Amino acid sequence: FIPYSFSSLFFKIKSLISQGESNTLEFKKSLSYYAKSKQKEKFIEQHILKTIAAFINSEGGILLIGVDDNGGISGIDYEAKKLYSDNKKSGNKLVFMDGFLRHLGNILKNSIGKKFFSYIKFQRIECNGVSIVKVECDKLISGTGCYVGKKFYMRHGASTLELKGNDLVSYVQRHFKS
């Protein structure tokens, strides 16, 4: 027996994935685990942060962590247990998922800043027997934008682009209310 709310959420995620990446939807296989080096890598986290800032600076969007570019659901269970669990032998998925979600919150706070927390909601979702994380980002309406460090990103199709100089100034003036 699958509760209705779980079943409904699962089918919504599957439906999202079937649409493929777009201006408002992005897939990332992991938060910080790099399979080639078998360890945590900052550059993987930077891709996540750029995408989130770009969604906020554009039309908003959804990032699914634990889904590869082809829409395959690999999940983040292995990463969460390997990198974010104090007790690696624990079989309690909720314990290491808690560490994973705390880490995501910390990198958002340290890179994007607390003032954008109200634009970002994230939750763990069980999908095909593994956990994924759904990050929903609202569109910023006014101000000068959301930055990762001193870099500004926006979405264009299924890509995240960095804007600089006159392109940045022009975008901010057109896109945000003062």
Side-chain angles (χ1 to χ4, degrees):
F1 174 74
I2 299 174
Y4 173 75
S5 62
F6 174 79
S7 176
S8 173
L9 189 55
F10 172 76
F11 288 114
K12 284 180 183 176
I13 292 297
K14 293 292 279 183
S15 175
L16 267 176
I17 292 170
S18 72
Q19 295 172 29
E21 294 182 320
S22 68
N23 196 47
T24 58
L25 181 62
E26 178 75 23
F27 307 145
K28 295 291 183 192
K29 192 169 183 172
S30 73
L31 172 63
S32 50
Y33 182 74
Y34 188 49
K36 288 182 182 177
S37 67
K38 297 185 180 284
Q39 62 186 13
K40 183 181 193 177
E41 297 285 355
K42 288 280 186 196
F43 78 91
I44 303 284
E45 292 176 357
Q46 286 301 308
H47 291 296
I48 297 285
L49 295 168
K50 288 184 218 180
T51 300
I52 291 171
F55 281 146
I56 292 170
N57 289 329
S58 301
E59 299 304 315
I62 296 173
L63 168 65
L64 298 177
I65 305 171
V67 178
D68 66 33
D69 286 340
N70 297 323
I73 301 170
S74 54
I76 47 107
D77 299 335
Y78 177 79
E79 173 182 5
K81 188 170 186 176
K82 179 174 176 60
L83 301 179
Y84 305 109
S85 175
D86 293 334
N87 182 0
K88 307 279 190 253
K89 293 180 183 178
S90 171
N92 187 344
K93 186 184 280 194
L94 295 179
V95 171
F96 47 86
M97 286 303 151
D98 183 55
F100 182 98
L101 295 174
R102 268 196 325 273
H103 182 71
L104 176 57
N106 286 334
I107 64 171
L108 288 169
K109 177 182 71 175
N110 295 331
S111 294
I112 291 176
K114 288 181 191 176
K115 73 180 188 174
F116 292 103
F117 274 15
S118 63
Y119 293 89
I120 306 165
K121 295 178 267 329
F122 53 91
Q123 70 180 111
R124 180 185 74 87
I125 298 169
E126 198 70 26
C127 197
N128 283 359
V130 295
S131 299
I132 65 169
V133 173
K134 178 183 178 190
V135 182
E136 290 184 74
C137 305
D138 294 330
K139 173 184 178 177
L140 182 66
I141 307 261
S142 64
T144 57
C146 176
Y147 292 75
V148 178
K150 294 183 179 187
K151 295 184 178 184
F152 183 94
Y153 299 94
M154 54 87 66
R155 290 292 286 185
H156 183 73
S159 299
T160 296
L161 304 174
E162 180 182 358
L163 293 183
K164 298 177 182 178
N166 290 336
D167 292 335
L168 171 58
V169 172
S170 177
Y171 183 86
V172 169
Q173 288 173 343
R174 277 191 337 270
H175 196 75
F176 302 117
K177 296 176 186 170
S178 298

